[in-house]
Amino acid sequence: MDCETSNNLGGDVSQLHLTENPIDNNEAATKSIDFKNNDNVRDITSIFQAAAAALHTGQLLKDSSFTLFEAVGALEMMDPKMDSGYLENDESLKDDLDAIQDLLPEEVIGVMDQMLSYEMAWHMGYPLLQSLFTSLHIDQLLWPVPKTLEDALSNRSKKVRTETQPLDSVLRVYTIALIKTCGYIHSKIISEHYYEEEDFVSLLYNRDLLSSIDYLDVVKCLEKAIEDLSCKSIACEDSVKDALQVRLQLRKNLLLAVECDSRLTDRNAIQYWTRCLESLPSVLQSQSEGVPKPTAFSSKIQRRLASSVPPRPIVDISFENAHGHLRQICQNGSEVYRVLDYHGSSNLSAFVWTFQSRKPQPSIYIRCLLQSLIFHDMKVLSDMTITRLIFDDLAEIVLPAHFLIDPANSDVEAPQDLRFQIWKEMQSFVLRVGDAYLDLFRAMCMNRSRMRRMLCHLILDWESIQLEAENLDVELRQFTSEEPILDLTTSDEIWSFPLSSWAYYYKLNQMQWIVQMGLELDIYENDELAVMYWYLQSLSSNLIQHLERIQTFTTKSHRASVSLDTAQETAYIQSFTFLDVELQKASAIQSFARGLSSLYVFLGQAGALSTHGRTAPYGKPEHRYLLRMRPFLQLSLPEVLPYADYASLTVFPPAGNPAIGPGEQVPPNLVLAEQAMNVARKKWDAISKLSAETARCVTCADWWGESVKDVVRACIACSVAIATVKRGLANAEGRPLADIIQVEVPGSEMAYHPFWAVPKITIQKR
């Protein structure tokens, strides 16, 4: 087939139907093509088969203007799963539904509820192409693009405009408010950090979400529609009218809530989100008043919106699931503004971490809203500078009441003044760490998998910050006249390195979070839990040593200070309290992780841990160890121990038959697990009794308290598991332990706390 012949093959290819059976060259396949009613269609079946017969096997024709993309697309034509333009016999390209036709009141409720379900599907990460944009009402509303609200409200689908019926007007106003709400949500999400198609699909398919229409005009229309339902005579039950009114009221409050969110500092959004929560039970209860209207939605709209991609099925989620998701959005929307109540940098960090750790995790819109509230237009929490936030953090951890971070230094303009030089050096430090510091908060606002991935990259940046901060600490000594501490054993000088210590503190925390997030995401296999909990307790041990070092220099600085005023003394008290609480937490994590690591080592020796049928003929323990340590291998401190050193510390000699006979002792690793868990439980109990001010969780005391209580429950469950193992050993009577006990490691969703994979151990019946 030459290029001239191929270029003369005209017609609408989507209307061609090639028969499966061979056709004689002199016979045209006219059975499935109507030539009389379509003058633009030319049957090329005989021409195509004659040309194909002239080709030898393996030959391929290529036109320079026919690209690989077009070739792949052409191969899938006439396949309903891949060809968005394919039509069955007697199937029309357009749906016949008139979006302005009279609907029964029950059908209007059904359409509203289905739109709400598709709206929540969009929030869950599905594209508009498979959700809201399958609505014929929305399609006829958005195209052609309405210039004014009157255009949107009018019946533009008819050549002669008729007076809109009351119920049709109700549905049209509801649809306009829904699209306007989606416009605000879309703008908020794309203005912040998110991951396309992982969290959210931002494609609008060349449709405008009524950005030119004032939201106040839409609110007025909603209020008028609610009033009309009360005043006008509509032939339906009062329960149906009530159901329509509560949906319009919900839509009004949702629109007002997201509009207030767009202004960030307007806390009126809280009351609107609360009103939405109050409306939702009535919406769910009145769902039975509605009647589904399947013909109001069609996947054929995809052919006009995205004809170059294969057709995709409409996403169908139940109304109950959609209602639950909306309730979660409203609840989180009313609570997220707590972040603006600033009580210090550690309180801010605790709020963001705790808020994002809740199950289920807040939706992508709420997470982007939280990002905006934290940092927007070069301001933190709407009215703070990033310099103040970092200085507050430094004051709480390493530099309480220190003149290096005195805000008054910024008022000095004389270059020869010591305070001017200090401010210049500290500003260079803020510029260096500002992005990395804010990236920690951005990472917390991601989905849990993405958060862990971002932390793995961020620790490398904090490694560089730590090394650069060491040099800056040395330079700052000329301003601070610091005296070192002498090591009594080696007579070495020990310097405080406050900025470097601050960076190292955050690096250690991120390393802990990476391991804990891996446990929450169920990344590790059962036989790898001993390794990861051992490494977690090792990180906690490093953090404890580092915090004690910071505490030593803070105490030295406090003793050397004279005539402190009230504010300075308060700063030292807050720093000491913070360090004490952090030491408690690190010690509690260390004990719990040590207990679980020892327990899993013992269970692995006894052959009681299941690997879910995983076989690794070429895998070795040292290879898996290096794989799990991979995020930390490039760090200078703390160093990752070689596998041989790790094995000498944790892998005990094979237990063989670990049964306890008369007068025999419990295996040492099981004793260690029991002792560590007893200590861990006491420490977590003490932490759970801390006040919100002491624990630095003023704005999230309720969520933080529940999280700590879950850890205490996990401690109790682990102690029960250890006691069950000991009872099984006592009754072994020479049998292998794997035949006596059954070990089940629950996933993070079933665990008491997602960071602590406590095994559920039962004694098998004979």
Side-chain angles (χ1 to χ4, degrees), residues 116 174 181 222 226 244-256 272-273 275-280 283 319 323 326 330:
L116 181 63
Y174 180 91
T181 302
L222 285 167
I226 294 172
L244 290 169
Q245 285 181 324
V246 74
R247 281 159 176 76
L248 290 173
Q249 195 68 44
L250 172 65
R251 187 51 60 186
K252 170 189 167 184
N253 289 323
L254 281 173
L255 176 56
L256 290 171
Y272 293 128
W273 285 119
R275 291 176 186 176
C276 292
L277 279 172
E278 295 169 352
S279 301
L280 284 175
V283 172
F319 184 76
H323 177 273
L326 179 57
C330 296

PDB file of all heavy atoms in Angstrom, residues 116 174 181 222 226 244-256 272-273 275-280 283 319 323 326 330:
ATOM      1  N   LEU A 116     -22.743  13.533  45.016  1.00  0.00           N
ATOM      2  CA  LEU A 116     -21.935  13.589  46.236  1.00  0.00           C
ATOM      3  C   LEU A 116     -20.969  12.408  46.295  1.00  0.00           C
ATOM      4  O   LEU A 116     -19.801  12.557  46.688  1.00  0.00           O
ATOM      5  CB  LEU A 116     -22.840  13.595  47.463  1.00  0.00           C
ATOM      6  CG  LEU A 116     -22.142  13.672  48.822  1.00  0.00           C
ATOM      7  CD1 LEU A 116     -21.371  14.978  48.960  1.00  0.00           C
ATOM      8  CD2 LEU A 116     -23.148  13.540  49.960  1.00  0.00           C
ATOM      9  N   TYR A 174     -27.909  23.423  42.993  1.00  0.00           N
ATOM     10  CA  TYR A 174     -27.076  22.465  43.734  1.00  0.00           C
ATOM     11  C   TYR A 174     -25.827  22.119  42.921  1.00  0.00           C
ATOM     12  O   TYR A 174     -24.714  22.076  43.455  1.00  0.00           O
ATOM     13  CB  TYR A 174     -27.893  21.207  44.031  1.00  0.00           C
ATOM     14  CG  TYR A 174     -27.142  20.137  44.782  1.00  0.00           C
ATOM     15  CD1 TYR A 174     -27.162  20.082  46.167  1.00  0.00           C
ATOM     16  CD2 TYR A 174     -26.405  19.164  44.106  1.00  0.00           C
ATOM     17  CE1 TYR A 174     -26.472  19.091  46.864  1.00  0.00           C
ATOM     18  CE2 TYR A 174     -25.711  18.176  44.786  1.00  0.00           C
ATOM     19  CZ  TYR A 174     -25.753  18.146  46.163  1.00  0.00           C
ATOM     20  OH  TYR A 174     -25.072  17.164  46.839  1.00  0.00           O
ATOM     21  N   THR A 181     -17.593  24.688  44.621  1.00  0.00           N
ATOM     22  CA  THR A 181     -16.840  24.097  45.733  1.00  0.00           C
ATOM     23  C   THR A 181     -15.619  23.340  45.221  1.00  0.00           C
ATOM     24  O   THR A 181     -14.516  23.472  45.759  1.00  0.00           O
ATOM     25  CB  THR A 181     -17.741  23.154  46.540  1.00  0.00           C
ATOM     26  OG1 THR A 181     -18.872  23.882  47.034  1.00  0.00           O
ATOM     27  CG2 THR A 181     -16.989  22.548  47.708  1.00  0.00           C
ATOM     28  N   LEU A 222     -28.735  29.517  46.518  1.00  0.00           N
ATOM     29  CA  LEU A 222     -29.013  28.372  47.387  1.00  0.00           C
ATOM     30  C   LEU A 222     -30.044  28.745  48.453  1.00  0.00           C
ATOM     31  O   LEU A 222     -30.983  27.973  48.731  1.00  0.00           O
ATOM     32  CB  LEU A 222     -27.720  27.898  48.054  1.00  0.00           C
ATOM     33  CG  LEU A 222     -26.738  27.112  47.188  1.00  0.00           C
ATOM     34  CD1 LEU A 222     -25.392  26.987  47.887  1.00  0.00           C
ATOM     35  CD2 LEU A 222     -27.282  25.727  46.864  1.00  0.00           C
ATOM     36  N   ILE A 226     -33.777  27.108  48.943  1.00  0.00           N
ATOM     37  CA  ILE A 226     -34.266  26.556  50.222  1.00  0.00           C
ATOM     38  C   ILE A 226     -35.588  27.205  50.606  1.00  0.00           C
ATOM     39  O   ILE A 226     -36.530  26.536  51.060  1.00  0.00           O
ATOM     40  CB  ILE A 226     -33.204  26.779  51.319  1.00  0.00           C
ATOM     41  CG1 ILE A 226     -31.941  25.967  51.009  1.00  0.00           C
ATOM     42  CG2 ILE A 226     -33.757  26.377  52.686  1.00  0.00           C
ATOM     43  CD1 ILE A 226     -30.783  26.272  51.934  1.00  0.00           C
ATOM     44  N   LEU A 244     -34.460  17.468  50.480  1.00  0.00           N
ATOM     45  CA  LEU A 244     -33.892  18.414  49.523  1.00  0.00           C
ATOM     46  C   LEU A 244     -33.291  19.621  50.243  1.00  0.00           C
ATOM     47  O   LEU A 244     -32.199  20.092  49.895  1.00  0.00           O
ATOM     48  CB  LEU A 244     -34.975  18.876  48.544  1.00  0.00           C
ATOM     49  CG  LEU A 244     -35.470  17.825  47.545  1.00  0.00           C
ATOM     50  CD1 LEU A 244     -36.714  18.316  46.817  1.00  0.00           C
ATOM     51  CD2 LEU A 244     -34.376  17.478  46.538  1.00  0.00           C
ATOM     52  N   GLN A 245     -34.009  20.114  51.249  1.00  0.00           N
ATOM     53  CA  GLN A 245     -33.523  21.285  51.976  1.00  0.00           C
ATOM     54  C   GLN A 245     -32.205  21.005  52.702  1.00  0.00           C
ATOM     55  O   GLN A 245     -31.286  21.832  52.686  1.00  0.00           O
ATOM     56  CB  GLN A 245     -34.585  21.755  52.974  1.00  0.00           C
ATOM     57  CG  GLN A 245     -35.766  22.481  52.328  1.00  0.00           C
ATOM     58  CD  GLN A 245     -36.780  22.941  53.362  1.00  0.00           C
ATOM     59  OE1 GLN A 245     -37.014  22.266  54.357  1.00  0.00           O
ATOM     60  NE2 GLN A 245     -37.395  24.083  53.116  1.00  0.00           N
ATOM     61  N   VAL A 246     -32.097  19.840  53.345  1.00  0.00           N
ATOM     62  CA  VAL A 246     -30.880  19.551  54.102  1.00  0.00           C
ATOM     63  C   VAL A 246     -29.691  19.373  53.161  1.00  0.00           C
ATOM     64  O   VAL A 246     -28.553  19.731  53.504  1.00  0.00           O
ATOM     65  CB  VAL A 246     -31.085  18.297  54.985  1.00  0.00           C
ATOM     66  CG1 VAL A 246     -31.068  17.015  54.166  1.00  0.00           C
ATOM     67  CG2 VAL A 246     -30.017  18.229  56.071  1.00  0.00           C
ATOM     68  N   ARG A 247     -29.926  18.907  51.940  1.00  0.00           N
ATOM     69  CA  ARG A 247     -28.833  18.783  50.967  1.00  0.00           C
ATOM     70  C   ARG A 247     -28.391  20.141  50.450  1.00  0.00           C
ATOM     71  O   ARG A 247     -27.191  20.382  50.249  1.00  0.00           O
ATOM     72  CB  ARG A 247     -29.269  17.871  49.823  1.00  0.00           C
ATOM     73  CG  ARG A 247     -29.191  16.392  50.183  1.00  0.00           C
ATOM     74  CD  ARG A 247     -30.053  15.511  49.305  1.00  0.00           C
ATOM     75  NE  ARG A 247     -29.852  14.096  49.640  1.00  0.00           N
ATOM     76  CZ  ARG A 247     -30.367  13.506  50.723  1.00  0.00           C
ATOM     77  NH1 ARG A 247     -31.119  14.206  51.573  1.00  0.00           N
ATOM     78  NH2 ARG A 247     -30.137  12.217  50.954  1.00  0.00           N
ATOM     79  N   LEU A 248     -29.349  21.026  50.221  1.00  0.00           N
ATOM     80  CA  LEU A 248     -28.986  22.379  49.814  1.00  0.00           C
ATOM     81  C   LEU A 248     -28.251  23.116  50.926  1.00  0.00           C
ATOM     82  O   LEU A 248     -27.291  23.865  50.681  1.00  0.00           O
ATOM     83  CB  LEU A 248     -30.245  23.152  49.417  1.00  0.00           C
ATOM     84  CG  LEU A 248     -30.938  22.709  48.122  1.00  0.00           C
ATOM     85  CD1 LEU A 248     -32.262  23.444  47.952  1.00  0.00           C
ATOM     86  CD2 LEU A 248     -30.048  22.949  46.910  1.00  0.00           C
ATOM     87  N   GLN A 249     -28.686  22.896  52.164  1.00  0.00           N
ATOM     88  CA  GLN A 249     -28.022  23.529  53.295  1.00  0.00           C
ATOM     89  C   GLN A 249     -26.595  23.000  53.449  1.00  0.00           C
ATOM     90  O   GLN A 249     -25.663  23.772  53.726  1.00  0.00           O
ATOM     91  CB  GLN A 249     -28.826  23.260  54.573  1.00  0.00           C
ATOM     92  CG  GLN A 249     -28.456  24.147  55.741  1.00  0.00           C
ATOM     93  CD  GLN A 249     -28.841  25.606  55.516  1.00  0.00           C
ATOM     94  OE1 GLN A 249     -29.931  25.899  55.051  1.00  0.00           O
ATOM     95  NE2 GLN A 249     -27.935  26.515  55.831  1.00  0.00           N
ATOM     96  N   LEU A 250     -26.425  21.697  53.264  1.00  0.00           N
ATOM     97  CA  LEU A 250     -25.080  21.105  53.320  1.00  0.00           C
ATOM     98  C   LEU A 250     -24.194  21.693  52.236  1.00  0.00           C
ATOM     99  O   LEU A 250     -23.036  22.057  52.495  1.00  0.00           O
ATOM    100  CB  LEU A 250     -25.176  19.589  53.165  1.00  0.00           C
ATOM    101  CG  LEU A 250     -23.841  18.837  53.018  1.00  0.00           C
ATOM    102  CD1 LEU A 250     -23.011  18.968  54.287  1.00  0.00           C
ATOM    103  CD2 LEU A 250     -24.085  17.366  52.687  1.00  0.00           C
ATOM    104  N   ARG A 251     -24.745  21.821  51.032  1.00  0.00           N
ATOM    105  CA  ARG A 251     -23.952  22.354  49.932  1.00  0.00           C
ATOM    106  C   ARG A 251     -23.579  23.808  50.176  1.00  0.00           C
ATOM    107  O   ARG A 251     -22.463  24.244  49.854  1.00  0.00           O
ATOM    108  CB  ARG A 251     -24.754  22.215  48.635  1.00  0.00           C
ATOM    109  CG  ARG A 251     -24.002  22.574  47.372  1.00  0.00           C
ATOM    110  CD  ARG A 251     -22.684  21.879  47.255  1.00  0.00           C
ATOM    111  NE  ARG A 251     -22.800  20.435  47.243  1.00  0.00           N
ATOM    112  CZ  ARG A 251     -21.765  19.619  47.267  1.00  0.00           C
ATOM    113  NH1 ARG A 251     -20.535  20.117  47.349  1.00  0.00           N
ATOM    114  NH2 ARG A 251     -21.924  18.319  47.241  1.00  0.00           N
ATOM    115  N   LYS A 252     -24.464  24.566  50.768  1.00  0.00           N
ATOM    116  CA  LYS A 252     -24.175  25.971  51.097  1.00  0.00           C
ATOM    117  C   LYS A 252     -23.035  26.061  52.111  1.00  0.00           C
ATOM    118  O   LYS A 252     -22.090  26.844  51.936  1.00  0.00           O
ATOM    119  CB  LYS A 252     -25.438  26.637  51.637  1.00  0.00           C
ATOM    120  CG  LYS A 252     -25.207  28.011  52.236  1.00  0.00           C
ATOM    121  CD  LYS A 252     -26.459  28.501  52.950  1.00  0.00           C
ATOM    122  CE  LYS A 252     -26.169  29.711  53.821  1.00  0.00           C
ATOM    123  NZ  LYS A 252     -27.356  30.146  54.596  1.00  0.00           N
ATOM    124  N   ASN A 253     -23.088  25.268  53.158  1.00  0.00           N
ATOM    125  CA  ASN A 253     -22.050  25.325  54.185  1.00  0.00           C
ATOM    126  C   ASN A 253     -20.712  24.821  53.670  1.00  0.00           C
ATOM    127  O   ASN A 253     -19.657  25.328  54.063  1.00  0.00           O
ATOM    128  CB  ASN A 253     -22.491  24.516  55.411  1.00  0.00           C
ATOM    129  CG  ASN A 253     -23.613  25.199  56.182  1.00  0.00           C
ATOM    130  OD1 ASN A 253     -23.640  26.423  56.307  1.00  0.00           O
ATOM    131  ND2 ASN A 253     -24.557  24.416  56.685  1.00  0.00           N
ATOM    132  N   LEU A 254     -20.733  23.819  52.803  1.00  0.00           N
ATOM    133  CA  LEU A 254     -19.483  23.342  52.207  1.00  0.00           C
ATOM    134  C   LEU A 254     -18.834  24.436  51.371  1.00  0.00           C
ATOM    135  O   LEU A 254     -17.612  24.643  51.428  1.00  0.00           O
ATOM    136  CB  LEU A 254     -19.753  22.104  51.341  1.00  0.00           C
ATOM    137  CG  LEU A 254     -19.920  20.777  52.068  1.00  0.00           C
ATOM    138  CD1 LEU A 254     -20.351  19.685  51.090  1.00  0.00           C
ATOM    139  CD2 LEU A 254     -18.635  20.362  52.767  1.00  0.00           C
ATOM    140  N   LEU A 255     -19.638  25.140  50.583  1.00  0.00           N
ATOM    141  CA  LEU A 255     -19.102  26.214  49.753  1.00  0.00           C
ATOM    142  C   LEU A 255     -18.516  27.332  50.618  1.00  0.00           C
ATOM    143  O   LEU A 255     -17.416  27.834  50.350  1.00  0.00           O
ATOM    144  CB  LEU A 255     -20.213  26.768  48.850  1.00  0.00           C
ATOM    145  CG  LEU A 255     -19.844  27.973  47.977  1.00  0.00           C
ATOM    146  CD1 LEU A 255     -18.646  27.672  47.092  1.00  0.00           C
ATOM    147  CD2 LEU A 255     -21.042  28.408  47.124  1.00  0.00           C
ATOM    148  N   LEU A 256     -19.224  27.714  51.665  1.00  0.00           N
ATOM    149  CA  LEU A 256     -18.727  28.764  52.547  1.00  0.00           C
ATOM    150  C   LEU A 256     -17.463  28.321  53.288  1.00  0.00           C
ATOM    151  O   LEU A 256     -16.550  29.128  53.525  1.00  0.00           O
ATOM    152  CB  LEU A 256     -19.817  29.156  53.550  1.00  0.00           C
ATOM    153  CG  LEU A 256     -21.016  29.917  52.974  1.00  0.00           C
ATOM    154  CD1 LEU A 256     -22.118  30.052  54.023  1.00  0.00           C
ATOM    155  CD2 LEU A 256     -20.593  31.288  52.460  1.00  0.00           C
ATOM    156  N   TYR A 272     -18.541  26.722  59.775  1.00  0.00           N
ATOM    157  CA  TYR A 272     -19.187  26.138  58.593  1.00  0.00           C
ATOM    158  C   TYR A 272     -18.922  24.634  58.502  1.00  0.00           C
ATOM    159  O   TYR A 272     -19.821  23.853  58.157  1.00  0.00           O
ATOM    160  CB  TYR A 272     -18.710  26.840  57.326  1.00  0.00           C
ATOM    161  CG  TYR A 272     -19.154  28.281  57.241  1.00  0.00           C
ATOM    162  CD1 TYR A 272     -18.231  29.307  57.007  1.00  0.00           C
ATOM    163  CD2 TYR A 272     -20.488  28.634  57.420  1.00  0.00           C
ATOM    164  CE1 TYR A 272     -18.626  30.630  56.945  1.00  0.00           C
ATOM    165  CE2 TYR A 272     -20.897  29.962  57.352  1.00  0.00           C
ATOM    166  CZ  TYR A 272     -19.963  30.951  57.112  1.00  0.00           C
ATOM    167  OH  TYR A 272     -20.360  32.260  57.059  1.00  0.00           O
ATOM    168  N   TRP A 273     -17.681  24.219  58.818  1.00  0.00           N
ATOM    169  CA  TRP A 273     -17.391  22.783  58.837  1.00  0.00           C
ATOM    170  C   TRP A 273     -18.222  22.088  59.918  1.00  0.00           C
ATOM    171  O   TRP A 273     -18.720  20.974  59.717  1.00  0.00           O
ATOM    172  CB  TRP A 273     -15.909  22.539  59.097  1.00  0.00           C
ATOM    173  CG  TRP A 273     -14.998  22.822  57.942  1.00  0.00           C
ATOM    174  CD1 TRP A 273     -13.995  23.732  57.890  1.00  0.00           C
ATOM    175  CD2 TRP A 273     -15.003  22.167  56.657  1.00  0.00           C
ATOM    176  NE1 TRP A 273     -13.370  23.696  56.660  1.00  0.00           N
ATOM    177  CE2 TRP A 273     -13.967  22.742  55.891  1.00  0.00           C
ATOM    178  CE3 TRP A 273     -15.778  21.167  56.088  1.00  0.00           C
ATOM    179  CZ2 TRP A 273     -13.692  22.348  54.584  1.00  0.00           C
ATOM    180  CZ3 TRP A 273     -15.498  20.768  54.788  1.00  0.00           C
ATOM    181  CH2 TRP A 273     -14.474  21.349  54.050  1.00  0.00           C
ATOM    182  N   ARG A 275     -21.195  23.046  60.993  1.00  0.00           N
ATOM    183  CA  ARG A 275     -22.563  22.959  60.493  1.00  0.00           C
ATOM    184  C   ARG A 275     -22.720  21.809  59.499  1.00  0.00           C
ATOM    185  O   ARG A 275     -23.756  21.150  59.474  1.00  0.00           O
ATOM    186  CB  ARG A 275     -22.964  24.280  59.832  1.00  0.00           C
ATOM    187  CG  ARG A 275     -23.125  25.448  60.800  1.00  0.00           C
ATOM    188  CD  ARG A 275     -23.420  26.728  60.050  1.00  0.00           C
ATOM    189  NE  ARG A 275     -23.439  27.883  60.945  1.00  0.00           N
ATOM    190  CZ  ARG A 275     -23.594  29.143  60.527  1.00  0.00           C
ATOM    191  NH1 ARG A 275     -23.726  29.396  59.227  1.00  0.00           N
ATOM    192  NH2 ARG A 275     -23.601  30.132  61.397  1.00  0.00           N
ATOM    193  N   CYS A 276     -21.698  21.603  58.692  1.00  0.00           N
ATOM    194  CA  CYS A 276     -21.740  20.459  57.760  1.00  0.00           C
ATOM    195  C   CYS A 276     -21.844  19.149  58.535  1.00  0.00           C
ATOM    196  O   CYS A 276     -22.608  18.254  58.163  1.00  0.00           O
ATOM    197  CB  CYS A 276     -20.502  20.455  56.875  1.00  0.00           C
ATOM    198  SG  CYS A 276     -20.418  21.816  55.692  1.00  0.00           S
ATOM    199  N   LEU A 277     -21.051  19.038  59.597  1.00  0.00           N
ATOM    200  CA  LEU A 277     -21.106  17.830  60.432  1.00  0.00           C
ATOM    201  C   LEU A 277     -22.498  17.624  61.013  1.00  0.00           C
ATOM    202  O   LEU A 277     -22.992  16.485  61.087  1.00  0.00           O
ATOM    203  CB  LEU A 277     -20.085  17.928  61.563  1.00  0.00           C
ATOM    204  CG  LEU A 277     -18.640  17.581  61.235  1.00  0.00           C
ATOM    205  CD1 LEU A 277     -17.739  17.910  62.418  1.00  0.00           C
ATOM    206  CD2 LEU A 277     -18.508  16.110  60.874  1.00  0.00           C
ATOM    207  N   GLU A 278     -23.143  18.708  61.400  1.00  0.00           N
ATOM    208  CA  GLU A 278     -24.483  18.592  61.977  1.00  0.00           C
ATOM    209  C   GLU A 278     -25.511  18.189  60.930  1.00  0.00           C
ATOM    210  O   GLU A 278     -26.527  17.568  61.263  1.00  0.00           O
ATOM    211  CB  GLU A 278     -24.874  19.934  62.609  1.00  0.00           C
ATOM    212  CG  GLU A 278     -24.003  20.322  63.814  1.00  0.00           C
ATOM    213  CD  GLU A 278     -24.236  21.754  64.261  1.00  0.00           C
ATOM    214  OE1 GLU A 278     -24.960  22.482  63.524  1.00  0.00           O
ATOM    215  OE2 GLU A 278     -23.701  22.149  65.315  1.00  0.00           O
ATOM    216  N   SER A 279     -25.285  18.520  59.659  1.00  0.00           N
ATOM    217  CA  SER A 279     -26.234  18.182  58.594  1.00  0.00           C
ATOM    218  C   SER A 279     -26.093  16.751  58.104  1.00  0.00           C
ATOM    219  O   SER A 279     -27.055  16.172  57.587  1.00  0.00           O
ATOM    220  CB  SER A 279     -26.053  19.144  57.413  1.00  0.00           C
ATOM    221  OG  SER A 279     -26.260  20.476  57.795  1.00  0.00           O
ATOM    222  N   LEU A 280     -24.902  16.187  58.244  1.00  0.00           N
ATOM    223  CA  LEU A 280     -24.624  14.886  57.626  1.00  0.00           C
ATOM    224  C   LEU A 280     -25.522  13.755  58.133  1.00  0.00           C
ATOM    225  O   LEU A 280     -25.956  12.919  57.328  1.00  0.00           O
ATOM    226  CB  LEU A 280     -23.151  14.525  57.821  1.00  0.00           C
ATOM    227  CG  LEU A 280     -22.185  15.279  56.906  1.00  0.00           C
ATOM    228  CD1 LEU A 280     -20.743  14.952  57.255  1.00  0.00           C
ATOM    229  CD2 LEU A 280     -22.466  14.943  55.442  1.00  0.00           C
ATOM    230  N   VAL A 283     -28.676  13.865  56.195  1.00  0.00           N
ATOM    231  CA  VAL A 283     -28.471  13.475  54.798  1.00  0.00           C
ATOM    232  C   VAL A 283     -28.456  11.958  54.670  1.00  0.00           C
ATOM    233  O   VAL A 283     -29.067  11.383  53.759  1.00  0.00           O
ATOM    234  CB  VAL A 283     -27.161  14.087  54.260  1.00  0.00           C
ATOM    235  CG1 VAL A 283     -26.846  13.533  52.877  1.00  0.00           C
ATOM    236  CG2 VAL A 283     -27.269  15.602  54.212  1.00  0.00           C
ATOM    237  N   PHE A 319     -22.826   5.114  48.788  1.00  0.00           N
ATOM    238  CA  PHE A 319     -23.155   6.385  49.430  1.00  0.00           C
ATOM    239  C   PHE A 319     -22.699   6.389  50.879  1.00  0.00           C
ATOM    240  O   PHE A 319     -22.295   7.432  51.405  1.00  0.00           O
ATOM    241  CB  PHE A 319     -24.669   6.634  49.359  1.00  0.00           C
ATOM    242  CG  PHE A 319     -25.083   7.963  49.918  1.00  0.00           C
ATOM    243  CD1 PHE A 319     -24.875   9.130  49.207  1.00  0.00           C
ATOM    244  CD2 PHE A 319     -25.673   8.056  51.172  1.00  0.00           C
ATOM    245  CE1 PHE A 319     -25.243  10.370  49.722  1.00  0.00           C
ATOM    246  CE2 PHE A 319     -26.048   9.274  51.704  1.00  0.00           C
ATOM    247  CZ  PHE A 319     -25.831  10.433  50.968  1.00  0.00           C
ATOM    248  N   HIS A 323     -20.368   9.184  52.352  1.00  0.00           N
ATOM    249  CA  HIS A 323     -20.817   9.943  53.527  1.00  0.00           C
ATOM    250  C   HIS A 323     -19.751   9.909  54.622  1.00  0.00           C
ATOM    251  O   HIS A 323     -19.453  10.931  55.254  1.00  0.00           O
ATOM    252  CB  HIS A 323     -22.140   9.356  54.029  1.00  0.00           C
ATOM    253  CG  HIS A 323     -22.664  10.004  55.275  1.00  0.00           C
ATOM    254  ND1 HIS A 323     -22.286   9.591  56.552  1.00  0.00           N
ATOM    255  CD2 HIS A 323     -23.524  11.026  55.462  1.00  0.00           C
ATOM    256  CE1 HIS A 323     -22.896  10.332  57.447  1.00  0.00           C
ATOM    257  NE2 HIS A 323     -23.651  11.213  56.822  1.00  0.00           N
ATOM    258  N   LEU A 326     -16.835  12.189  53.640  1.00  0.00           N
ATOM    259  CA  LEU A 326     -17.172  13.596  53.809  1.00  0.00           C
ATOM    260  C   LEU A 326     -17.205  13.968  55.288  1.00  0.00           C
ATOM    261  O   LEU A 326     -16.764  15.068  55.672  1.00  0.00           O
ATOM    262  CB  LEU A 326     -18.528  13.893  53.155  1.00  0.00           C
ATOM    263  CG  LEU A 326     -19.028  15.334  53.281  1.00  0.00           C
ATOM    264  CD1 LEU A 326     -18.016  16.317  52.704  1.00  0.00           C
ATOM    265  CD2 LEU A 326     -20.376  15.492  52.589  1.00  0.00           C
ATOM    266  N   CYS A 330     -15.024  16.970  56.977  1.00  0.00           N
ATOM    267  CA  CYS A 330     -15.616  18.040  57.792  1.00  0.00           C
ATOM    268  C   CYS A 330     -15.021  18.057  59.199  1.00  0.00           C
ATOM    269  O   CYS A 330     -14.742  19.128  59.756  1.00  0.00           O
ATOM    270  CB  CYS A 330     -17.136  17.861  57.861  1.00  0.00           C
ATOM    271  SG  CYS A 330     -17.968  18.030  56.271  1.00  0.00           S
TER     272      CYS A 330
END
